[in-house]
Amino acid sequence: MDLTFSKDEVEFRDELREWLAENSPGEEPRGDEDAIFAFRTGWQRSLYDSGWAAVHWPQEYGGRDATLMESAIFFEEMGRAGAPLPANVLGLLLAGPTIMAWGTPEQKDRYLTPILSAEEIWCQGFSEPEAGSDLAAVKTRAVRDGDDWVVTGQKVWTSGAQFSKWCMLVARTDPEASKHKGLSYFLMDMEQEAVQVRPLVQITGEAEFNELFIEEARIPHENMLGEEGNGWIVALTTLMNERSGLGFFLQVRLRQLLDKLVAEAVANGSIDDPVIGQSLGDMLERTETLRLTAYRGLSTITKYGQPGPEGSLTKWLWSETNQMMTQLAVDIVGPQALHKDNPWAYELLRARGNSIEGGTTEILKNIIAERVMGLPRK
Ligand SMILES: Cc1cc2nc3c(=O)[nH]c(=O)nc-3n(C[C@H](O)[C@H](O)[C@H](O)COP(=O)(O)OP(=O)(O)OC[C@H]3O[C@@H](n4cnc5c(N)ncnc54)[C@H](O)[C@@H]3O)c2cc1C
């Protein structure tokens, strides 16, 4: 892949840099989830108003028809500017692209613009207590009743459900069909009594994700995405976007974290310790490898029109590096890095989930062994 920017790409980058310099979001609040959500919503609205919310989306839905290279530049520049995540990250990176790939014209018209403007927030209702890595084992049941589907079941780990209007829901519509064929994909309205959201507090003290209890929720048939029984294939589109799109964004944030860590090491003199210096060098090598692998993933999308299994490699390398880096931060910053009010304590604790969310490292290794390296399944 040629990483030299063309004249148009340089112009795109400079325009974005200028906008970011004039529209700094300021410092994100800490500790208060409602305040963080409000801050990220404000940030996404301001991106949307200036046409920067999702540059790769079609212009008719508020995007800029950006090329993949311009999208990469977009993420790099956001990282460089230390910009926060937008409020509707799952809508922008997962729901939007899945609706674009599988939605009817009516569904695209109805759902895409409010995703971009953060008017309607989305969550991902895939995992269940007994279906995580083995997603095709979902038990949540959807039964046809006239023009509606009646849905009953339980979801778990549903990030951001407490703020969401819509849920990407995978449910079993045909219990007689084989495991992968009996599933359908729905766009479920969260604002109904039959959907109860119970926050789960995690190791950081935040309740980032939730349990969903669904008791005879109604979903109109027109909210099915893709054909009945095709839910597995539609869900794969969501998962592929999770591993590649999010991976690109996260590698940029990883580099930001490394720069902060180097600044800490310079400030407290530990940079002169050869072991620390070497560990920071290792981190730089890993972040750069990750950046180039993320670009390679983009080039696959350019060639084949969809993310390839490389997305699994990026996600694995990112989670491992983030965990190693936050551990190294404790060595560099010292015991105060473990104090609950220290930002490094948050980074250290939050990183533990990285090797689980969006596909566990073990599952990603299986995918890489089988689909990238072509090794036998057993
Ligand atoms: C921070 C965070 C946010 C999340 N947000 C969401 C969300 O918004 N929506 C959502 O639907 N889900 C979400 N998840 C759930 C996540 O996708 C699942 O946790 C993940 O898929 C693993 O499923 P599980 O927890 O059921 O573990 P299991 O699948 O039960 O796995 C348990 C262990 O067994 C290993 N294992 C399982 N199968 C194999 C195999 N075939 N080979 C080797 N090892 C194996 C796994 O690697 C793991 O170590 C989130 C998780 C986290 C941590």
Side-chain angles (χ1 to χ4, degrees):
M1 171 168 208
D2 182 4
L3 293 179
T4 324
F5 294 152
S6 67
K7 188 169 157 288
D8 286 352
E9 286 160 358
V10 170
E11 271 171 23
F12 176 90
R13 184 197 63 192
D14 291 347
E15 187 190 342
L16 177 56
R17 268 191 195 172
E18 203 175 307
W19 185 85
L20 282 166
E22 284 165 9
N23 294 276
S24 162
E27 207 44 46
E28 181 164 277
R30 293 184 61 82
D32 175 345
E33 281 153 55
D34 290 334
I36 295 170
F37 177 70
F39 176 81
R40 292 182 178 184
T41 304
W43 172 235
Q44 191 177 330
R45 292 243 164 92
S46 122
L47 286 168
Y48 173 73
D49 289 341
S50 305
W52 292 113
V55 291
H56 59 295
W57 280 32
Q59 263 178 2
E60 60 179 309
Y61 299 118
R64 285 189 176 229
D65 282 324
T67 61
L68 283 166
M69 189 48 114
E70 286 169 341
S71 298
I73 293 172
F74 174 79
F75 285 127
E76 296 268 4
E77 290 303 314
M78 287 290 150
R80 216 179 128 265
L85 282 170
N88 203 9
V89 69
L90 296 187
L92 290 170
L93 293 175
L94 308 188
T98 312
I99 292 170
M100 280 188 242
W102 292 97
T104 59
E106 293 74 25
Q107 287 172 331
K108 291 181 194 170
D109 283 345
R110 164 63 188 83
Y111 296 107
L112 292 177
T113 304
I115 288 178
L116 216 55
S117 61
E119 273 164 272
E120 293 181 345
I121 304 296
W122 283 72
C123 63
Q124 181 189 14
F126 283 20
S127 305
E128 297 184 359
E130 289 174 52
S133 304
D134 185 12
L135 179 61
V138 297
K139 290 204 176 95
T140 293
R141 185 81 175 90
V143 179
R144 186 80 189 250
D145 179 28
D147 287 341
D148 286 349
W149 289 87
V150 179
V151 181
T152 298
Q154 188 191 339
K155 296 287 172 180
V156 72
W157 309 94
T158 323
S159 305
Q162 67 271 51
F163 301 116
S164 294
K165 161 74 177 157
W166 294 104
C167 177
M168 299 163 251
L169 184 95
V170 178
R172 190 160 298 283
T173 42
D174 183 356
E176 307 303 323
S178 65
K179 199 160 114 173
H180 292 82
K181 293 216 170 106
L183 301 170
S184 299
Y185 195 115
F186 295 94
L187 313 177
M188 180 176 77
D189 191 342
M190 298 284 286
E191 289 175 4
Q192 49 180 316
E193 216 21 57
V195 180
Q196 292 297 321
V197 177
R198 191 183 299 166
L200 289 169
V201 178
Q202 62 208 80
I203 194 174
T204 53
E206 294 172 318
E208 190 184 342
F209 43 60
N210 305 268
E211 288 176 294
L212 292 192
F213 295 94
I214 309 167
E215 194 62 51
E216 301 197 342
R218 296 195 88 84
I219 306 182
H221 180 67
E222 65 191 31
N223 285 23
M224 184 180 273
L225 191 64
E227 298 294 312
E228 183 179 339
N230 209 19
W232 176 251
I233 310 287
V234 182
L236 284 185
T237 304
T238 309
L239 293 175
M240 296 270 234
N241 278 286
E242 182 167 23
R243 281 166 206 166
S244 61
L246 210 52
F248 202 89
F249 190 77
L250 292 172
Q251 62 89 11
V252 176
R253 290 176 72 84
L254 195 64
R255 179 57 203 252
Q256 271 177 275
L257 205 65
L258 177 60
D259 291 346
K260 275 190 199 156
L261 192 53
V262 171
E264 295 266 12
V266 170
N268 72 11
S270 59
I271 192 91
D272 295 329
D273 177 333
V275 175
I276 297 287
Q278 192 175 346
S279 302
L280 285 169
D282 283 347
M283 289 300 126
L284 180 60
E285 196 180 303
R286 279 178 160 265
T287 4
E288 196 54 17
T289 307
L290 196 54
R291 189 172 79 84
L292 295 172
T293 312
Y295 270 101
R296 206 169 63 176
L298 281 185
S299 109
T300 309
I301 304 180
T302 317
K303 268 195 223 143
Y304 304 112
Q306 56 174 346
E310 295 84 358
S312 299
L313 190 60
T314 326
K315 204 260 149 175
W316 164 21
L317 190 59
W318 164 76
S319 56
E320 195 175 75
T321 307
N322 201 32
Q323 288 176 349
M324 290 168 85
M325 202 186 293
T326 52
Q327 205 69 55
L328 177 62
V330 178
D331 294 339
I332 290 176
V333 177
Q336 69 266 33
L338 298 174
H339 189 275
K340 73 176 173 48
D341 293 331
N342 190 298
W344 288 108
Y346 175 84
E347 297 292 348
L348 178 76
L349 296 175
R350 181 60 186 81
R352 304 322 298 165
N354 295 160
S355 44
I356 305 173
E357 60 197 308
T360 69
T361 296
E362 293 75 21
I363 294 296
L364 301 178
K365 286 182 180 173
N366 285 348
I367 295 174
I368 292 159
E370 288 164 21
R371 297 190 42 208
V372 180
M373 301 173 74
L375 296 178
R377 286 175 74 87
K378 295 225 169 160

